[in-house]
Amino acid sequence: MNCKLNTPPPNFIRNIIIEDIKSGKHGGKVITRFPPEPNGYLHIGHAKSIVLNFGLALEFNGRCHLRFDDTNPTKEEEEYVLAIQEDVAWLGYDWGEHLYYASDYFEKLYDYAIELIKMGKAYVCDLSAEQIRQYRGTLKEPGKESPYRNRSVEENLDLFRRMRQGEFPDGARVLRAKIDMASGNLNMRDPVIYRIMHASHHRTGDKWCIYPMYDFTHCLSDSIEGITHSICTLEFEDHRPLYDWFLDQLKVKCHPQQIEFARLNLSYTVLSKRKLIQLVEGGFVSGWDDPRMPTISGIRRRGYSPASIRNFCERIGVAKRDSVVDIALLEHCVREDLNKTSPRVMAVLRPLKVVIENYPEGKSEELEAINNPEDPSAGTRMLPFSREIYIEQDDFREDPPKKFFRLAPGREVRLRYAYFITCHKVVKDEKTGEIIELRCTYDPETKGGAAPDGRRVRGTLHWVSVPHAVKAEVRLYDRLFSVPDPDRGKEGADFKTFINPNSLQVIHGCMVEPGLRNARPGERYQFERIGYFCVDIVDSGPGHLVFNRTVPLRDTWAKIERMHRKEK
Ligand code: ATP
Ligand code: MG
């Protein structure tokens, strides 16, 4: 596996595993699995499960399987199978040769079902889906037994074989486990284990027209693969007795232990493939990999690094209680990593031209700039400087308010890595009154950004030389939802009504330093004073540079932490 291990934080699952290794349970082995259903792209919630499962396997010298839980042919596609593999690998994990599909076990699962029937533990039921629901009862009332519950083993075997042979239409019959219609656990009231579905499967084609249900498939797939610890989210807690029941009845050799943990919920975000697919299909975003999506492919395109996602997953920890994580923490982890790793560059998003009147026409020179103050090994680069430069429109005010320390008429500021300049004249468009150019002078003695006489300036601006500048498109992203809890909704409102109408702002005509001309898709940079940006992996190409803003520089999480510290 190619991902570096941090010191793992303690959590209750890790503790269970440590105890199991001590006691020699499962022969001291640790075999976990990540079992996505290929019915959509993975999201950051899945990352939590991936980091946990692969992380534990790495830590305890075990292994983690990647298993596609592909039992519902109507919703599953090959596109998702490929995307999921790409995403898990991108996160830094390697399943080696242990790539599996539940559909590989269809024949074995069928045999297990036959075994259950032969033991009198499963029966073919002709009730409709609606009737099955009615017969199931409620938490307060026991269920009612199906009139088909006491069919003979022979009749059940015959009907189940004919189900497989395609003799009956969809929904005509199901196979059910025969457990207990009075159980306090609804999952134990004769759950359906096979249904008829005349649908082509992305791997098995038309070989099957009956498909096993999740609860039956999952525990047996785990057992077939020799999984030791089957880690899943809390909503499966009530399914655990069923998980164990199947394995106990069938007397399998390997009986994995199911352990549940709380799923990740993130503020301002929806984390459910069923909802994310609505955003894609409804055209609210440009696709599964839209940089505003919480999908792994979306955050990758946005510029988040795999290391920052792993770090985030480790920091939020693993608990037994549901909670909502502040998205500011995720952004903080991203910033923390990018701060260490991204080269600094100068980019002007909304250019304002400055002419330095006392700088010789036609001259240009190269000035040394530091690539990353956090990483001396990143070295320096040379930046061209000339008589005409661009600065940020926001960095000039004709009539500066208090505490505005940037450029204004008569004021001197520093150009980063270059000189001090003073503004003498503002040139405006005659018709619109818009500021189109500034006329300044520079002090040749201040080369490198310091004055020999020790005089100080309060503002330092980033800039790009006009004749050397490279044009770029910049996409600024904001949160996709404008409320912290779009998922829970206000008075049952549809989550899509909370989409932030300003979540994407495209700026054309940005000017970036010349070294970025050959920036490659996926490269990440810090635009000095602005934020972290990543070259778009889809739309950027030679002659058309596109940058996605990954995160702005301002760190709201760091502020929250400081406040907490003060309160203490
Ligand atoms: P969704 O609700 O988004 O459709 P799912 O649970 O149906 O997710 P699966 O493909 O079945 O998606 O998930 C694969 C694994 O990822 C499961 O073990 C599941 O428990 C885990 N998982 C899914 N969502 C989260 C989450 N938000 N936090 C942690 N683990 C998750
Ligand atoms: Mg699921």
Side-chain angles (χ1 to χ4, degrees):
M1 297 194 188
N2 51 10
C3 128
K4 234 181 53 224
L5 256 188
N6 297 333
T7 323
N11 67 58
F12 75 96
I13 299 183
R14 211 172 149 258
N15 294 343
I16 292 175
I17 291 182
I18 291 171
E19 286 307 312
D20 288 350
I21 291 174
K22 263 194 219 147
S23 72
K25 194 175 169 188
H26 314 292
K29 277 189 300 195
V30 177
I31 305 171
T32 57
R33 85 285 170 267
F34 174 63
E37 182 181 356
N39 61 348
Y41 281 60
L42 298 182
H43 51 63
I44 178 106
H46 293 112
K48 176 175 179 179
S49 173
I50 293 168
V51 171
L52 180 62
N53 278 294
F54 278 93
L56 288 168
L58 270 168
E59 185 186 352
F60 295 105
N61 274 325
R63 60 174 200 253
C64 180
H65 299 180
L66 174 60
R67 182 200 315 139
F68 289 101
D69 181 23
D70 55 346
T71 53
N72 185 357
T74 60
K75 293 212 176 119
E76 295 157 7
E77 285 171 30
E78 186 65 16
E79 177 198 344
Y80 300 137
V81 169
L82 297 173
I84 288 170
Q85 293 182 53
E86 187 184 352
D87 290 348
V88 176
W90 178 78
L91 278 171
Y93 298 105
D94 182 3
W95 51 88
E97 65 215 31
H98 300 286
L99 176 65
Y100 302 109
Y101 295 83
S103 57
D104 287 342
Y105 311 137
F106 280 172
E107 200 65 56
K108 277 189 188 151
L109 294 172
Y110 179 82
D111 291 342
Y112 278 129
I114 296 276
E115 222 181 299
L116 280 183
I117 295 174
K118 285 184 178 162
M119 291 189 287
K121 304 274 182 181
Y123 62 97
V124 173
C125 180
D126 301 358
L127 292 180
S128 68
E130 183 48 37
Q131 286 170 319
I132 290 181
R133 210 167 305 127
Q134 285 165 4
Y135 275 60
R136 183 176 300 136
T138 62
L139 281 174
K140 290 190 193 116
E141 292 161 44
K144 228 168 51 182
E145 292 189 354
S146 160
Y148 305 98
R149 198 173 199 261
N150 295 315
R151 275 177 161 152
S152 69
V153 168
E154 288 66 37
E155 191 184 2
N156 281 321
L157 284 174
D158 175 58
L159 284 172
F160 188 51
R161 282 193 185 116
R162 287 163 61 197
M163 277 168 66
R164 175 178 183 171
Q165 276 152 18
E167 277 190 37
F168 313 115
D170 288 2
R173 297 197 151 96
V174 291
L175 183 71
R176 297 175 71 174
K178 192 170 177 175
I179 310 180
D180 178 8
M181 289 307 289
S183 169
N185 183 337
L186 294 180
N187 295 305
M188 300 301 275
R189 294 186 187 170
D190 291 11
V192 172
I193 57 180
Y194 264 92
R195 56 184 164 168
I196 302 173
M197 230 198 265
H198 291 268
S200 214
H201 185 280
H202 70 109
R203 296 191 82 239
T204 57
D206 294 322
K207 182 166 181 216
W208 294 90
C209 63
I210 53 171
Y211 290 95
M213 301 300 285
Y214 174 86
D215 283 318
F216 183 67
T217 309
H218 200 80
C219 56
L220 288 165
S221 304
D222 281 348
S223 169
I224 291 168
E225 289 176 19
I227 301 298
T228 55
H229 300 84
S230 176
I231 302 166
C232 62
T233 34
L234 276 186
E235 67 271 25
F236 292 104
E237 196 165 19
D238 288 347
H239 295 240
R240 189 177 349 122
L242 185 54
Y243 184 104
D244 291 332
W245 188 86
F246 285 126
L247 298 182
D248 288 341
Q249 301 305 316
L250 290 164
K251 301 193 179 58
V252 291
K253 278 208 290 283
C254 165
H255 189 138
Q257 178 182 4
Q258 177 178 306
I259 308 169
E260 309 85 16
F261 70 100
R263 64 198 294 118
L264 169 68
N265 300 302
L266 203 54
S267 63
Y268 294 95
T269 309
V270 300
L271 289 182
S272 148
K273 284 181 280 184
R274 195 175 52 78
K275 288 182 176 163
L276 296 176
I277 202 169
Q278 292 179 47
L279 296 175
V280 175
E281 288 178 350
F284 296 96
V285 293
S286 66
W288 285 101
D289 67 348
D290 186 300
R292 291 166 292 179
M293 289 282 271
T295 50
I296 305 292
S297 52
I299 59 186
R300 169 167 63 233
R301 192 172 162 193
R302 175 96 169 236
Y304 288 22
S305 60
S308 62
I309 307 296
R310 292 195 300 265
N311 184 249
F312 168 73
C313 291
E314 281 175 6
R315 274 168 87 153
I316 56 176
V318 179
K320 205 70 188 166
R321 272 263 268 326
D322 269 317
S323 65
V324 181
V325 174
D326 191 332
I327 193 168
L329 174 61
L330 172 61
E331 291 165 351
H332 172 77
C333 292
V334 171
R335 240 178 240 114
E336 202 173 56
D337 182 50
L338 296 183
N339 179 41
K340 283 184 270 172
T341 55
S342 351
R344 274 55 172 171
V345 292
M346 302 238 248
V348 176
L349 301 196
R350 294 177 183 83
L352 172 60
K353 194 161 128 186
V354 173
V355 178
I356 302 167
E357 293 182 320
N358 59 339
Y359 195 91
E361 259 173 86
K363 175 182 170 179
S364 74
E365 64 183 305
E366 303 243 296
L367 301 168
E368 191 174 28
I370 294 169
N371 286 334
N372 187 349
E374 301 286 325
D375 174 12
S377 75
T380 60
R381 69 192 181 288
M382 300 310 285
L383 281 178
F385 183 80
S386 67
R387 181 179 156 88
E388 296 193 350
I389 58 163
Y390 292 117
I391 64 165
E392 209 68 65
Q393 288 172 17
D394 276 354
D395 281 339
F396 176 79
R397 289 285 183 87
E398 201 173 9
D399 189 12
K402 256 196 198 147
K403 293 198 174 164
F404 183 87
F405 300 123
R406 299 171 244 171
L407 197 59
R411 185 178 291 174
E412 187 171 52
V413 295
R414 175 190 296 108
L415 295 176
R416 190 145 167 83
Y417 300 123
Y419 297 98
F420 285 10
I421 57 167
T422 306
C423 177
H424 295 291
K425 193 172 156 206
V426 181
V427 182
K428 295 183 180 170
D429 182 299
E430 278 176 17
K431 283 196 207 105
T432 62
E434 187 196 349
I435 299 173
I436 48 175
E437 188 179 297
L438 302 178
R439 294 263 155 179
C440 296
T441 53
Y442 85 119
D443 177 354
E445 298 295 314
T446 56
K447 186 167 174 173
D453 62 5
R455 85 180 179 276
R456 293 178 170 256
V457 289
R458 300 199 70 171
T460 300
L461 312 187
H462 60 277
W463 54 273
V464 178
S465 161
V466 173
H468 303 93
V470 176
K471 223 185 192 159
E473 176 185 326
V474 166
R475 299 173 182 172
L476 301 180
Y477 299 99
D478 196 357
R479 288 166 185 163
L480 188 52
F481 293 95
S482 42
V483 297
D485 56 348
D487 223 0
R488 279 150 285 281
K490 301 264 180 300
E491 286 92 45
D494 184 288
F495 74 101
K496 296 193 289 302
T497 57
F498 302 116
I499 290 180
N500 172 7
N502 303 314
S503 61
L504 170 60
Q505 192 188 352
V506 181
I507 316 180
H508 297 278
C510 305
M511 294 295 176
V512 303
E513 62 173 72
L516 289 176
R517 188 184 307 278
N518 301 316
R520 283 193 308 273
E523 281 178 353
R524 306 180 183 95
Y525 295 93
Q526 185 195 102
F527 288 3
E528 296 232 20
R529 300 178 60 227
I530 303 179
Y532 294 97
F533 289 78
C534 175
V535 184
D536 190 62
I537 47 184
V538 177
D539 297 330
S540 199
H544 182 60
L545 262 183
V546 181
F547 287 95
N548 295 318
R549 182 172 68 189
T550 310
V551 275
L553 284 182
R554 210 166 63 105
D555 189 340
T556 49
W557 182 259
K559 214 169 117 191
I560 293 170
E561 277 192 331
R562 271 200 304 275
M563 268 162 42
H564 276 300
R565 251 182 269 131
K566 265 192 204 150
E567 278 167 17
K568 279 182 192 158

